[in-house]
Amino acid sequence: MLLTLFSSCSKNTNSADTIVFNANVWTGDENQKTAQAFAIKGDEILDIGTDEAMQQYKGSNTKMIDAEGKFITPGFIDAHMHLMRSGEMLLNVQLRDAKSPEEFTQRIADFSKTIDAETWITGGSWDQTQWGGEMPRKDWIDGVTPNKPVVVMRMDGHMLLANSAALKIAGVDKNTADIAGGEIIRDANGEPTGLLKDNAMNLLLDIIRAWSEKRKHEILKAASQHLLENGVTSVTDMEGLNPSFQSYETADQLRTANELNIRIYEGAALGDFAKVNKADYKNDKWVKFGLVKGFVDGSLGSRTAAFKYDYSDAPGNK
Ligand SMILES: [Zn+2]
């Protein structure tokens, strides 16, 4: 019945750039849950239906892709991303599954040999629970990075470890005053151990994220590539207006250059949101802006989440 209906339609003059056929497509549409094929023009799906029905969009230049019966779904949407931070991590040392302080040190030592002298080692995404909970200190890595600044983040983004070279460049030492909404962890002599929490992280982050335009493009492309490889085609970026990350501006530049291949819903921290002129941000189907994010406290792993009682391993801190 359906085939008859379609074949009786007049030939569609709107030919597709691409037709994917012989697929098992899940549409998410209540009225047409599955389909065999779909037709694409530009960045839109023209139509979806049977292999036969999509033939009407076939023009002389239409690329035909045989999906060989494979299952296809609409792209996934990640509802809470830190886009530029993630791209930065993808291009940097991987510490997420470092299982011991020795491995932590070794990975940083190995990575430092792969980059030029001026480039900072950042990213990391370490997790101290992988090796029993001892917090890392700058002296774990100073020996392998005497002249190279290192600022590696805990996986939750609420704490970082800086080595002595980085602390020196940032001018952070025992005389540095504590920062409201953050903490500089110090040893018994008042000397920073290299660990900085929440707002205190900005002492370092404001320096390392003075990225060039080229670097920002590389970072957003690295994040986009990783997302697409995992089926994610749209994201909500929680730091779209962060002046250090400049995610919105970078996405806008890539979109203009026709190089943006994920859809981004840009969000802003309350503080950033208050500072911008909303009229400067245009919305279209590739980059939208509007979400606002507020913080109440920090995170469990960084011991900055707010509690009624003291942390069992950090008396005096709740
Ligand atoms: Zn977040």
Side-chain angles (χ1 to χ4, degrees):
M1 290 279 277
L2 194 65
L3 294 179
T4 319
L5 184 69
F6 273 108
S7 56
S8 66
C9 290
S10 61
K11 181 91 176 162
N12 198 309
T13 51
N14 194 8
S15 65
D17 297 330
T18 306
I19 293 174
V20 179
F21 66 99
N22 189 24
N24 174 14
V25 186
W26 184 78
T27 66
D29 180 351
E30 278 298 313
N31 300 316
Q32 187 192 355
K33 282 205 166 119
T34 58
Q36 286 177 298
F38 53 96
I40 303 163
K41 189 177 181 69
D43 58 5
E44 288 189 332
I45 291 176
L46 277 179
D47 202 356
I48 183 158
T50 62
D51 285 342
E52 288 79 1
M54 292 306 105
Q55 288 292 326
Q56 67 179 306
Y57 300 103
K58 190 175 172 184
S60 48
N61 294 319
T62 301
K63 182 179 174 189
M64 301 297 290
I65 298 177
D66 183 351
E68 297 172 336
K70 291 193 182 97
F71 181 71
I72 295 177
T73 75
F76 298 125
I77 301 169
D78 189 319
H80 187 133
M81 270 285 300
H82 296 261
L83 200 51
M84 299 299 278
R85 205 191 284 247
S86 302
E88 179 194 24
M89 284 182 178
L90 286 166
L91 295 174
N92 258 288
V93 63
Q94 306 299 321
L95 299 171
R96 179 70 183 82
D97 55 353
K99 292 274 190 294
S100 65
E102 294 72 29
E103 196 176 349
F104 182 94
T105 303
Q106 190 59 47
R107 287 197 190 181
I108 290 174
D110 292 345
F111 187 80
S112 74
K113 292 175 194 136
T114 69
I115 53 174
D116 59 45
E118 292 79 42
T119 306
W120 290 48
I121 298 178
T122 62
S125 211
W126 51 268
D127 175 13
Q128 80 280 5
T129 66
Q130 295 276 345
W131 57 78
E134 187 185 356
M135 288 297 182
R137 298 182 307 275
K138 62 185 179 186
D139 52 79
W140 287 15
I141 52 175
D142 278 348
V144 295
T145 53
N147 304 309
K148 175 159 285 295
V150 179
V151 177
V152 283
M153 301 288 293
R154 188 174 189 276
M155 61 164 185
D156 61 1
H158 286 271
M159 176 157 52
L160 62 75
L161 176 71
N163 70 350
S164 292
L167 292 172
K168 192 171 169 204
I169 291 169
V172 176
D173 58 26
K174 65 187 300 182
N175 301 315
T176 305
D178 279 316
I179 306 281
E183 191 180 1
I184 301 168
I185 307 298
R186 300 168 197 270
D187 65 17
N189 302 317
E191 195 67 47
T193 68
L195 279 184
L196 303 177
K197 295 186 182 183
D198 289 312
N199 286 352
M201 299 192 301
N202 294 334
L203 293 167
L204 272 304
L205 296 183
D206 288 347
I207 298 172
I208 65 170
R209 285 176 178 149
W211 292 320
S212 68
E213 191 167 292
K214 177 171 168 278
R215 183 65 173 170
K216 281 180 238 166
H217 290 189
E218 285 169 4
I219 286 170
L220 185 51
K221 284 179 183 177
S224 305
Q225 184 61 28
H226 185 72
L227 289 160
L228 291 171
E229 283 170 5
N230 287 281
V232 179
T233 55
S234 300
V235 299
T236 298
D237 177 18
M238 308 308 286
E239 291 170 301
L241 300 195
N242 184 317
S244 304
F245 296 126
Q246 296 205 311
S247 177
Y248 177 92
E249 289 80 357
T250 308
D252 198 35
Q253 286 156 8
L254 290 186
R255 170 177 54 180
T256 304
N258 216 8
E259 291 184 293
L260 186 68
N261 50 16
I262 58 167
R263 289 184 176 81
I264 306 174
Y265 185 45
E266 296 285 16
L270 278 170
D272 296 332
F273 183 74
K275 287 181 218 151
V276 300
N277 176 11
K278 283 73 183 171
D280 290 345
Y281 297 90
K282 50 184 186 277
N283 290 326
D284 66 19
K285 64 187 171 185
W286 285 95
V287 185
K288 287 190 170 69
F289 165 67
L291 176 86
V292 177
K293 176 182 183 179
F295 285 95
V296 177
D297 60 350
S299 82
L300 266 175
S302 293
R303 307 292 185 266
T304 53
F307 279 97
K308 242 177 137 171
Y309 305 104
D310 286 2
Y311 283 87
S312 60
D313 59 355
N317 176 19
K318 60 182 178 183

